Amino acid sequence: MQAAKHEHWSSSFTFFLAAVGSAVGLGNIWRFPYVVAENGGGAFVLIYLAIVIVFGIPLLMSELMIGRSTQKPPLSAIQSFGQTSGTSSAQKLWHALGWSYLLVPMGILTFYSVVAGWTLDYALGMGIGTFNDLKEGESAEMFQDLLRSPVKLIFWMTLSIGITVAIVARGLKSGLEKTVKILMPALFVILIILVLYASITGDFARSFAFMFEPDFSKITPKLVLMAAGQAFFSLSLGSGAIMVYGSYLTRDISIPKMAVGVAFADTAVALLAGFAIFPIVFAFGVDHAAGPGLVFVTLPIVFNDMGGIGQVFGVLFFLLLAFAAITSTISLLEPMVAQLSESGRIKRARVAIYCGAVLWSVGIFVALSNNILRDVHPLGFLPLFEGKTIEGVIEFLAANVFMLLNGMLVSIFVGWSIKRTITLEEMGLGDSILFKLWFMLVRFVVPLGVGFIFYDVVL
Ligand code: TRP
């Protein structure tokens, strides 16, 4: 049988929408603001920006390059480079790296689709008025009710996996492209409306100071580590998402420009999410450092206090989150589906459904770690995993350990294993200062920096 034809994006703009769609997600709108608040504001943002520039952009370029150069899904892409260079133990390492690039996004997807499910529940709830007339303390109670309900969690998780599978099954043009062409502009419009409203009616000045005035005494190794983890997650690095999207790029597109554009857009959305949330949170005098509950507990209180218009903003806000989540979940499923349907032996739609079934089965355990299985600590006998639920273990391994490890190894791969002539040509920068700077970052700074951070988290 013939191998599936390798497709390409219709234009560089659709690629850009899709890549930004992958990067912009729950990480930007739900997680970034509360992690900023937990880590004391400006100092965290500053370190975060530095990490995006020094590690993020060079790695985006590296991953895009591996995909674009080989025009293959992650495992095949890394392998086809690995075959032309290196000893056999190096080849084994690169083979494992290829697998890790496929499995990390699947791992992330198991808990990401549960949280994506919360956003669907909240968008609907806001729409039908479940959150109207919230009394003191009721908001936290309602969030807990969701987490305590196996049926609700599994229902919404099933729906979010179902939507993701349905889109990915349709393939690049009629699935992914169509989705991002609709959802990304909608996301952008909603975000702008929310930011304008918040900064006009809320406490913009305090939010600005909070996000941009660094208190240098707050910079600790732990803060740097949190910022690195957040940056990797937000840029969708260390997992096959960017690589597989890169494989659908044609040769005429500039990788450095795209990488800078994606990093810029992703960071801008994270900051704008802060400016949609903090001004109203400060103005209403509710707790800004509520952790993961900032969006799901604090915001409903604020929307409620706003009166009638609050319900409109509530629906818009949770739709924004849901759209951002879906354009990310499709990029988390695509690497594995692209890889397994590469040979053409099994149809993409079928592969997507099988992958969805696997995700769903693991997702059940993840969802139940919020309630029935909350006291199950699978690797609790190891100090590193103490007190971690099933969800906690998967999240830690996928989003902390392997995502960083992948980023480190891929920079070594690109910096040391792939021939310089190939990278030189792919980057299209000539043998310029910019190319040399990138090459130096990828050879030395990224592996050492990420290795150091990794050492700190894991060892
Ligand atoms: N970047 C997305 C977010 O910020 C999540 C995401 C999508 C992701 N694809 C990824 C994270 C790949 C890590 C790896 O929400």
Side-chain angles (χ1 to χ4, degrees), residues 352-387:
I353 293 168
Y354 290 159
C355 289
V358 172
L359 284 170
W360 186 79
S361 333
V362 181
I364 300 266
F365 290 93
V366 171
L368 297 183
S369 353
N370 289 294
N371 39 66
I372 303 174
L373 302 177
R374 75 176 333 147
D375 294 321
V376 178
H377 303 147
L379 299 173
F381 52 91
L382 301 167
L384 201 57
F385 295 92
E386 219 180 292

PDB file of all heavy atoms in Angstrom, residues 352-387:
ATOM      1  N   ALA A 352      -6.840   8.261  14.821  1.00  0.00           N
ATOM      2  CA  ALA A 352      -7.287   9.298  15.748  1.00  0.00           C
ATOM      3  C   ALA A 352      -8.256   8.708  16.776  1.00  0.00           C
ATOM      4  O   ALA A 352      -8.172   9.003  17.974  1.00  0.00           O
ATOM      5  CB  ALA A 352      -7.933  10.453  14.991  1.00  0.00           C
ATOM      6  N   ILE A 353      -9.153   7.851  16.288  1.00  0.00           N
ATOM      7  CA  ILE A 353     -10.123   7.253  17.216  1.00  0.00           C
ATOM      8  C   ILE A 353      -9.431   6.314  18.215  1.00  0.00           C
ATOM      9  O   ILE A 353      -9.706   6.358  19.414  1.00  0.00           O
ATOM     10  CB  ILE A 353     -11.231   6.512  16.433  1.00  0.00           C
ATOM     11  CG1 ILE A 353     -12.062   7.542  15.654  1.00  0.00           C
ATOM     12  CG2 ILE A 353     -12.120   5.700  17.361  1.00  0.00           C
ATOM     13  CD1 ILE A 353     -13.001   6.943  14.633  1.00  0.00           C
ATOM     14  N   TYR A 354      -8.484   5.513  17.721  1.00  0.00           N
ATOM     15  CA  TYR A 354      -7.749   4.627  18.643  1.00  0.00           C
ATOM     16  C   TYR A 354      -7.010   5.444  19.699  1.00  0.00           C
ATOM     17  O   TYR A 354      -7.048   5.123  20.891  1.00  0.00           O
ATOM     18  CB  TYR A 354      -6.724   3.763  17.880  1.00  0.00           C
ATOM     19  CG  TYR A 354      -7.339   2.699  17.000  1.00  0.00           C
ATOM     20  CD1 TYR A 354      -6.613   2.147  15.934  1.00  0.00           C
ATOM     21  CD2 TYR A 354      -8.628   2.214  17.232  1.00  0.00           C
ATOM     22  CE1 TYR A 354      -7.160   1.176  15.115  1.00  0.00           C
ATOM     23  CE2 TYR A 354      -9.183   1.242  16.417  1.00  0.00           C
ATOM     24  CZ  TYR A 354      -8.454   0.725  15.355  1.00  0.00           C
ATOM     25  OH  TYR A 354      -8.988  -0.233  14.555  1.00  0.00           O
ATOM     26  N   CYS A 355      -6.327   6.483  19.248  1.00  0.00           N
ATOM     27  CA  CYS A 355      -5.577   7.313  20.209  1.00  0.00           C
ATOM     28  C   CYS A 355      -6.542   7.931  21.219  1.00  0.00           C
ATOM     29  O   CYS A 355      -6.245   7.996  22.416  1.00  0.00           O
ATOM     30  CB  CYS A 355      -4.810   8.423  19.504  1.00  0.00           C
ATOM     31  SG  CYS A 355      -3.420   7.828  18.548  1.00  0.00           S
ATOM     32  N   GLY A 356      -7.683   8.391  20.711  1.00  0.00           N
ATOM     33  CA  GLY A 356      -8.681   8.974  21.602  1.00  0.00           C
ATOM     34  C   GLY A 356      -9.139   7.968  22.641  1.00  0.00           C
ATOM     35  O   GLY A 356      -9.314   8.304  23.824  1.00  0.00           O
ATOM     36  N   ALA A 357      -9.294   6.713  22.228  1.00  0.00           N
ATOM     37  CA  ALA A 357      -9.744   5.680  23.166  1.00  0.00           C
ATOM     38  C   ALA A 357      -8.703   5.448  24.261  1.00  0.00           C
ATOM     39  O   ALA A 357      -9.039   5.311  25.440  1.00  0.00           O
ATOM     40  CB  ALA A 357     -10.035   4.380  22.408  1.00  0.00           C
ATOM     41  N   VAL A 358      -7.431   5.430  23.854  1.00  0.00           N
ATOM     42  CA  VAL A 358      -6.366   5.246  24.851  1.00  0.00           C
ATOM     43  C   VAL A 358      -6.357   6.429  25.828  1.00  0.00           C
ATOM     44  O   VAL A 358      -6.311   6.258  27.053  1.00  0.00           O
ATOM     45  CB  VAL A 358      -4.989   5.108  24.158  1.00  0.00           C
ATOM     46  CG1 VAL A 358      -3.862   5.117  25.184  1.00  0.00           C
ATOM     47  CG2 VAL A 358      -4.944   3.842  23.319  1.00  0.00           C
ATOM     48  N   LEU A 359      -6.432   7.627  25.267  1.00  0.00           N
ATOM     49  CA  LEU A 359      -6.438   8.830  26.109  1.00  0.00           C
ATOM     50  C   LEU A 359      -7.604   8.808  27.082  1.00  0.00           C
ATOM     51  O   LEU A 359      -7.471   9.148  28.255  1.00  0.00           O
ATOM     52  CB  LEU A 359      -6.605  10.072  25.236  1.00  0.00           C
ATOM     53  CG  LEU A 359      -5.397  10.524  24.478  1.00  0.00           C
ATOM     54  CD1 LEU A 359      -5.807  11.600  23.493  1.00  0.00           C
ATOM     55  CD2 LEU A 359      -4.365  11.062  25.449  1.00  0.00           C
ATOM     56  N   TRP A 360      -8.730   8.424  26.560  1.00  0.00           N
ATOM     57  CA  TRP A 360      -9.947   8.416  27.369  1.00  0.00           C
ATOM     58  C   TRP A 360      -9.791   7.442  28.544  1.00  0.00           C
ATOM     59  O   TRP A 360     -10.123   7.772  29.682  1.00  0.00           O
ATOM     60  CB  TRP A 360     -11.143   8.025  26.499  1.00  0.00           C
ATOM     61  CG  TRP A 360     -12.454   8.127  27.189  1.00  0.00           C
ATOM     62  CD1 TRP A 360     -13.180   9.260  27.409  1.00  0.00           C
ATOM     63  CD2 TRP A 360     -13.206   7.050  27.762  1.00  0.00           C
ATOM     64  NE1 TRP A 360     -14.333   8.959  28.086  1.00  0.00           N
ATOM     65  CE2 TRP A 360     -14.373   7.617  28.308  1.00  0.00           C
ATOM     66  CE3 TRP A 360     -13.003   5.667  27.856  1.00  0.00           C
ATOM     67  CZ2 TRP A 360     -15.351   6.841  28.956  1.00  0.00           C
ATOM     68  CZ3 TRP A 360     -13.963   4.899  28.497  1.00  0.00           C
ATOM     69  CH2 TRP A 360     -15.122   5.487  29.033  1.00  0.00           C
ATOM     70  N   SER A 361      -9.238   6.257  28.266  1.00  0.00           N
ATOM     71  CA  SER A 361      -9.093   5.278  29.354  1.00  0.00           C
ATOM     72  C   SER A 361      -8.166   5.801  30.439  1.00  0.00           C
ATOM     73  O   SER A 361      -8.419   5.627  31.625  1.00  0.00           O
ATOM     74  CB  SER A 361      -8.547   3.945  28.848  1.00  0.00           C
ATOM     75  OG  SER A 361      -8.885   3.751  27.517  1.00  0.00           O
ATOM     76  N   VAL A 362      -7.055   6.427  30.039  1.00  0.00           N
ATOM     77  CA  VAL A 362      -6.156   6.973  31.054  1.00  0.00           C
ATOM     78  C   VAL A 362      -6.803   8.202  31.704  1.00  0.00           C
ATOM     79  O   VAL A 362      -6.692   8.406  32.916  1.00  0.00           O
ATOM     80  CB  VAL A 362      -4.785   7.345  30.438  1.00  0.00           C
ATOM     81  CG1 VAL A 362      -3.841   7.884  31.510  1.00  0.00           C
ATOM     82  CG2 VAL A 362      -4.160   6.140  29.752  1.00  0.00           C
ATOM     83  N   GLY A 363      -7.501   8.976  30.885  1.00  0.00           N
ATOM     84  CA  GLY A 363      -8.159  10.182  31.374  1.00  0.00           C
ATOM     85  C   GLY A 363      -9.148   9.908  32.503  1.00  0.00           C
ATOM     86  O   GLY A 363      -9.302  10.722  33.411  1.00  0.00           O
ATOM     87  N   ILE A 364      -9.795   8.745  32.450  1.00  0.00           N
ATOM     88  CA  ILE A 364     -10.729   8.371  33.525  1.00  0.00           C
ATOM     89  C   ILE A 364      -9.999   8.384  34.876  1.00  0.00           C
ATOM     90  O   ILE A 364     -10.476   8.956  35.849  1.00  0.00           O
ATOM     91  CB  ILE A 364     -11.269   6.936  33.301  1.00  0.00           C
ATOM     92  CG1 ILE A 364     -12.010   6.847  31.982  1.00  0.00           C
ATOM     93  CG2 ILE A 364     -12.107   6.474  34.491  1.00  0.00           C
ATOM     94  CD1 ILE A 364     -13.468   7.053  32.045  1.00  0.00           C
ATOM     95  N   PHE A 365      -8.818   7.766  34.887  1.00  0.00           N
ATOM     96  CA  PHE A 365      -8.065   7.711  36.148  1.00  0.00           C
ATOM     97  C   PHE A 365      -7.618   9.100  36.574  1.00  0.00           C
ATOM     98  O   PHE A 365      -7.588   9.422  37.752  1.00  0.00           O
ATOM     99  CB  PHE A 365      -6.851   6.781  36.005  1.00  0.00           C
ATOM    100  CG  PHE A 365      -7.242   5.342  35.880  1.00  0.00           C
ATOM    101  CD1 PHE A 365      -7.412   4.752  34.631  1.00  0.00           C
ATOM    102  CD2 PHE A 365      -7.472   4.578  37.013  1.00  0.00           C
ATOM    103  CE1 PHE A 365      -7.797   3.433  34.506  1.00  0.00           C
ATOM    104  CE2 PHE A 365      -7.859   3.261  36.906  1.00  0.00           C
ATOM    105  CZ  PHE A 365      -8.026   2.681  35.655  1.00  0.00           C
ATOM    106  N   VAL A 366      -7.265   9.913  35.589  1.00  0.00           N
ATOM    107  CA  VAL A 366      -6.847  11.285  35.892  1.00  0.00           C
ATOM    108  C   VAL A 366      -8.024  12.064  36.487  1.00  0.00           C
ATOM    109  O   VAL A 366      -7.892  12.738  37.509  1.00  0.00           O
ATOM    110  CB  VAL A 366      -6.307  11.988  34.628  1.00  0.00           C
ATOM    111  CG1 VAL A 366      -6.078  13.464  34.891  1.00  0.00           C
ATOM    112  CG2 VAL A 366      -5.016  11.325  34.176  1.00  0.00           C
ATOM    113  N   ALA A 367      -9.188  11.936  35.840  1.00  0.00           N
ATOM    114  CA  ALA A 367     -10.372  12.643  36.341  1.00  0.00           C
ATOM    115  C   ALA A 367     -10.702  12.179  37.753  1.00  0.00           C
ATOM    116  O   ALA A 367     -10.972  12.981  38.645  1.00  0.00           O
ATOM    117  CB  ALA A 367     -11.559  12.408  35.409  1.00  0.00           C
ATOM    118  N   LEU A 368     -10.626  10.867  37.970  1.00  0.00           N
ATOM    119  CA  LEU A 368     -10.984  10.325  39.288  1.00  0.00           C
ATOM    120  C   LEU A 368      -9.941  10.650  40.356  1.00  0.00           C
ATOM    121  O   LEU A 368     -10.214  10.485  41.545  1.00  0.00           O
ATOM    122  CB  LEU A 368     -11.222   8.821  39.200  1.00  0.00           C
ATOM    123  CG  LEU A 368     -12.402   8.389  38.308  1.00  0.00           C
ATOM    124  CD1 LEU A 368     -12.583   6.881  38.345  1.00  0.00           C
ATOM    125  CD2 LEU A 368     -13.701   9.081  38.711  1.00  0.00           C
ATOM    126  N   SER A 369      -8.729  11.098  39.951  1.00  0.00           N
ATOM    127  CA  SER A 369      -7.772  11.491  41.008  1.00  0.00           C
ATOM    128  C   SER A 369      -8.245  12.717  41.758  1.00  0.00           C
ATOM    129  O   SER A 369      -7.666  13.078  42.774  1.00  0.00           O
ATOM    130  CB  SER A 369      -6.353  11.759  40.509  1.00  0.00           C
ATOM    131  OG  SER A 369      -6.150  11.456  39.211  1.00  0.00           O
ATOM    132  N   ASN A 370      -9.279  13.396  41.242  1.00  0.00           N
ATOM    133  CA  ASN A 370      -9.851  14.527  41.974  1.00  0.00           C
ATOM    134  C   ASN A 370     -10.829  14.090  43.051  1.00  0.00           C
ATOM    135  O   ASN A 370     -11.209  14.878  43.892  1.00  0.00           O
ATOM    136  CB  ASN A 370     -10.598  15.451  41.015  1.00  0.00           C
ATOM    137  CG  ASN A 370      -9.669  16.211  40.113  1.00  0.00           C
ATOM    138  OD1 ASN A 370      -8.904  17.043  40.574  1.00  0.00           O
ATOM    139  ND2 ASN A 370      -9.697  15.905  38.826  1.00  0.00           N
ATOM    140  N   ASN A 371     -11.303  12.869  42.973  1.00  0.00           N
ATOM    141  CA  ASN A 371     -12.304  12.440  43.954  1.00  0.00           C
ATOM    142  C   ASN A 371     -12.072  11.002  44.433  1.00  0.00           C
ATOM    143  O   ASN A 371     -11.279  10.803  45.338  1.00  0.00           O
ATOM    144  CB  ASN A 371     -13.714  12.654  43.395  1.00  0.00           C
ATOM    145  CG  ASN A 371     -13.810  12.305  41.913  1.00  0.00           C
ATOM    146  OD1 ASN A 371     -13.652  11.155  41.550  1.00  0.00           O
ATOM    147  ND2 ASN A 371     -14.039  13.304  41.072  1.00  0.00           N
ATOM    148  N   ILE A 372     -12.696  10.019  43.774  1.00  0.00           N
ATOM    149  CA  ILE A 372     -12.618   8.647  44.285  1.00  0.00           C
ATOM    150  C   ILE A 372     -11.185   8.174  44.515  1.00  0.00           C
ATOM    151  O   ILE A 372     -10.887   7.519  45.508  1.00  0.00           O
ATOM    152  CB  ILE A 372     -13.321   7.669  43.300  1.00  0.00           C
ATOM    153  CG1 ILE A 372     -14.769   8.099  43.088  1.00  0.00           C
ATOM    154  CG2 ILE A 372     -13.257   6.244  43.820  1.00  0.00           C
ATOM    155  CD1 ILE A 372     -15.481   7.284  42.022  1.00  0.00           C
ATOM    156  N   LEU A 373     -10.294   8.532  43.590  1.00  0.00           N
ATOM    157  CA  LEU A 373      -8.918   8.033  43.683  1.00  0.00           C
ATOM    158  C   LEU A 373      -7.956   9.057  44.275  1.00  0.00           C
ATOM    159  O   LEU A 373      -6.753   8.962  44.070  1.00  0.00           O
ATOM    160  CB  LEU A 373      -8.428   7.600  42.291  1.00  0.00           C
ATOM    161  CG  LEU A 373      -9.258   6.521  41.582  1.00  0.00           C
ATOM    162  CD1 LEU A 373      -8.692   6.236  40.182  1.00  0.00           C
ATOM    163  CD2 LEU A 373      -9.280   5.232  42.398  1.00  0.00           C
ATOM    164  N   ARG A 374      -8.491  10.015  45.016  1.00  0.00           N
ATOM    165  CA  ARG A 374      -7.609  11.102  45.472  1.00  0.00           C
ATOM    166  C   ARG A 374      -6.534  10.625  46.453  1.00  0.00           C
ATOM    167  O   ARG A 374      -5.483  11.256  46.583  1.00  0.00           O
ATOM    168  CB  ARG A 374      -8.412  12.247  46.082  1.00  0.00           C
ATOM    169  CG  ARG A 374      -8.953  11.939  47.461  1.00  0.00           C
ATOM    170  CD  ARG A 374      -9.664  13.104  48.099  1.00  0.00           C
ATOM    171  NE  ARG A 374      -9.230  14.415  47.646  1.00  0.00           N
ATOM    172  CZ  ARG A 374     -10.041  15.465  47.552  1.00  0.00           C
ATOM    173  NH1 ARG A 374     -11.307  15.342  47.837  1.00  0.00           N
ATOM    174  NH2 ARG A 374      -9.580  16.624  47.202  1.00  0.00           N
ATOM    175  N   ASP A 375      -6.773   9.498  47.108  1.00  0.00           N
ATOM    176  CA  ASP A 375      -5.771   9.006  48.055  1.00  0.00           C
ATOM    177  C   ASP A 375      -4.835   7.956  47.469  1.00  0.00           C
ATOM    178  O   ASP A 375      -4.044   7.356  48.183  1.00  0.00           O
ATOM    179  CB  ASP A 375      -6.457   8.457  49.306  1.00  0.00           C
ATOM    180  CG  ASP A 375      -7.164   9.579  50.058  1.00  0.00           C
ATOM    181  OD1 ASP A 375      -6.596  10.687  50.123  1.00  0.00           O
ATOM    182  OD2 ASP A 375      -8.295   9.349  50.537  1.00  0.00           O
ATOM    183  N   VAL A 376      -4.981   7.736  46.173  1.00  0.00           N
ATOM    184  CA  VAL A 376      -4.062   6.799  45.529  1.00  0.00           C
ATOM    185  C   VAL A 376      -2.812   7.555  45.084  1.00  0.00           C
ATOM    186  O   VAL A 376      -2.889   8.495  44.297  1.00  0.00           O
ATOM    187  CB  VAL A 376      -4.731   6.128  44.303  1.00  0.00           C
ATOM    188  CG1 VAL A 376      -3.761   5.185  43.607  1.00  0.00           C
ATOM    189  CG2 VAL A 376      -5.986   5.398  44.731  1.00  0.00           C
ATOM    190  N   HIS A 377      -1.674   7.138  45.624  1.00  0.00           N
ATOM    191  CA  HIS A 377      -0.408   7.796  45.289  1.00  0.00           C
ATOM    192  C   HIS A 377       0.512   6.761  44.667  1.00  0.00           C
ATOM    193  O   HIS A 377       1.325   6.138  45.357  1.00  0.00           O
ATOM    194  CB  HIS A 377       0.225   8.413  46.538  1.00  0.00           C
ATOM    195  CG  HIS A 377      -0.662   9.393  47.229  1.00  0.00           C
ATOM    196  ND1 HIS A 377      -0.685   9.586  48.587  1.00  0.00           N
ATOM    197  CD2 HIS A 377      -1.589  10.246  46.742  1.00  0.00           C
ATOM    198  CE1 HIS A 377      -1.574  10.503  48.910  1.00  0.00           C
ATOM    199  NE2 HIS A 377      -2.147  10.920  47.787  1.00  0.00           N
ATOM    200  N   PRO A 378       0.409   6.592  43.330  1.00  0.00           N
ATOM    201  CA  PRO A 378       1.049   5.462  42.663  1.00  0.00           C
ATOM    202  C   PRO A 378       2.544   5.300  42.950  1.00  0.00           C
ATOM    203  O   PRO A 378       3.009   4.200  43.189  1.00  0.00           O
ATOM    204  CB  PRO A 378       0.829   5.730  41.180  1.00  0.00           C
ATOM    205  CG  PRO A 378      -0.165   6.813  41.080  1.00  0.00           C
ATOM    206  CD  PRO A 378      -0.273   7.483  42.403  1.00  0.00           C
ATOM    207  N   LEU A 379       3.318   6.382  42.899  1.00  0.00           N
ATOM    208  CA  LEU A 379       4.750   6.218  43.127  1.00  0.00           C
ATOM    209  C   LEU A 379       5.151   6.847  44.457  1.00  0.00           C
ATOM    210  O   LEU A 379       6.284   7.295  44.633  1.00  0.00           O
ATOM    211  CB  LEU A 379       5.544   6.838  41.973  1.00  0.00           C
ATOM    212  CG  LEU A 379       5.286   6.214  40.593  1.00  0.00           C
ATOM    213  CD1 LEU A 379       5.985   7.001  39.494  1.00  0.00           C
ATOM    214  CD2 LEU A 379       5.777   4.769  40.564  1.00  0.00           C
ATOM    215  N   GLY A 380       4.184   6.867  45.370  1.00  0.00           N
ATOM    216  CA  GLY A 380       4.380   7.552  46.643  1.00  0.00           C
ATOM    217  C   GLY A 380       5.569   7.078  47.457  1.00  0.00           C
ATOM    218  O   GLY A 380       6.075   7.804  48.312  1.00  0.00           O
ATOM    219  N   PHE A 381       6.067   5.856  47.151  1.00  0.00           N
ATOM    220  CA  PHE A 381       7.208   5.352  47.921  1.00  0.00           C
ATOM    221  C   PHE A 381       8.514   6.042  47.519  1.00  0.00           C
ATOM    222  O   PHE A 381       9.515   5.949  48.200  1.00  0.00           O
ATOM    223  CB  PHE A 381       7.331   3.834  47.758  1.00  0.00           C
ATOM    224  CG  PHE A 381       7.355   3.400  46.320  1.00  0.00           C
ATOM    225  CD1 PHE A 381       8.563   3.269  45.650  1.00  0.00           C
ATOM    226  CD2 PHE A 381       6.166   3.124  45.632  1.00  0.00           C
ATOM    227  CE1 PHE A 381       8.590   2.886  44.327  1.00  0.00           C
ATOM    228  CE2 PHE A 381       6.191   2.733  44.306  1.00  0.00           C
ATOM    229  CZ  PHE A 381       7.407   2.615  43.650  1.00  0.00           C
ATOM    230  N   LEU A 382       8.493   6.741  46.376  1.00  0.00           N
ATOM    231  CA  LEU A 382       9.680   7.506  45.986  1.00  0.00           C
ATOM    232  C   LEU A 382       9.527   8.948  46.484  1.00  0.00           C
ATOM    233  O   LEU A 382       8.473   9.550  46.296  1.00  0.00           O
ATOM    234  CB  LEU A 382       9.832   7.530  44.462  1.00  0.00           C
ATOM    235  CG  LEU A 382       9.964   6.170  43.778  1.00  0.00           C
ATOM    236  CD1 LEU A 382       9.796   6.313  42.266  1.00  0.00           C
ATOM    237  CD2 LEU A 382      11.310   5.553  44.110  1.00  0.00           C
ATOM    238  N   PRO A 383      10.582   9.488  47.086  1.00  0.00           N
ATOM    239  CA  PRO A 383      10.469  10.829  47.660  1.00  0.00           C
ATOM    240  C   PRO A 383       9.973  11.876  46.651  1.00  0.00           C
ATOM    241  O   PRO A 383       9.158  12.738  46.972  1.00  0.00           O
ATOM    242  CB  PRO A 383      11.909  11.156  48.081  1.00  0.00           C
ATOM    243  CG  PRO A 383      12.648   9.884  48.093  1.00  0.00           C
ATOM    244  CD  PRO A 383      11.896   8.881  47.277  1.00  0.00           C
ATOM    245  N   LEU A 384      10.434  11.743  45.393  1.00  0.00           N
ATOM    246  CA  LEU A 384      10.068  12.717  44.372  1.00  0.00           C
ATOM    247  C   LEU A 384       8.575  12.740  44.078  1.00  0.00           C
ATOM    248  O   LEU A 384       8.029  13.737  43.614  1.00  0.00           O
ATOM    249  CB  LEU A 384      10.836  12.350  43.093  1.00  0.00           C
ATOM    250  CG  LEU A 384      11.046  13.420  42.051  1.00  0.00           C
ATOM    251  CD1 LEU A 384      11.754  14.618  42.647  1.00  0.00           C
ATOM    252  CD2 LEU A 384      11.874  12.854  40.898  1.00  0.00           C
ATOM    253  N   PHE A 385       7.912  11.615  44.339  1.00  0.00           N
ATOM    254  CA  PHE A 385       6.499  11.499  43.969  1.00  0.00           C
ATOM    255  C   PHE A 385       5.580  11.480  45.181  1.00  0.00           C
ATOM    256  O   PHE A 385       4.396  11.195  45.071  1.00  0.00           O
ATOM    257  CB  PHE A 385       6.273  10.218  43.154  1.00  0.00           C
ATOM    258  CG  PHE A 385       6.969  10.230  41.833  1.00  0.00           C
ATOM    259  CD1 PHE A 385       8.248   9.715  41.707  1.00  0.00           C
ATOM    260  CD2 PHE A 385       6.363  10.776  40.715  1.00  0.00           C
ATOM    261  CE1 PHE A 385       8.907   9.728  40.484  1.00  0.00           C
ATOM    262  CE2 PHE A 385       7.007  10.795  39.491  1.00  0.00           C
ATOM    263  CZ  PHE A 385       8.284  10.270  39.381  1.00  0.00           C
ATOM    264  N   GLU A 386       6.168  11.773  46.338  1.00  0.00           N
ATOM    265  CA  GLU A 386       5.396  11.703  47.567  1.00  0.00           C
ATOM    266  C   GLU A 386       4.144  12.564  47.500  1.00  0.00           C
ATOM    267  O   GLU A 386       4.208  13.728  47.100  1.00  0.00           O
ATOM    268  CB  GLU A 386       6.283  12.177  48.714  1.00  0.00           C
ATOM    269  CG  GLU A 386       6.098  11.396  49.982  1.00  0.00           C
ATOM    270  CD  GLU A 386       7.018  11.953  51.061  1.00  0.00           C
ATOM    271  OE1 GLU A 386       8.252  11.796  50.917  1.00  0.00           O
ATOM    272  OE2 GLU A 386       6.489  12.552  52.012  1.00  0.00           O
ATOM    273  N   GLY A 387       3.015  11.983  47.871  1.00  0.00           N
ATOM    274  CA  GLY A 387       1.780  12.756  47.940  1.00  0.00           C
ATOM    275  C   GLY A 387       1.170  13.074  46.583  1.00  0.00           C
ATOM    276  O   GLY A 387       0.156  13.749  46.502  1.00  0.00           O
TER     277      GLY A 387
END
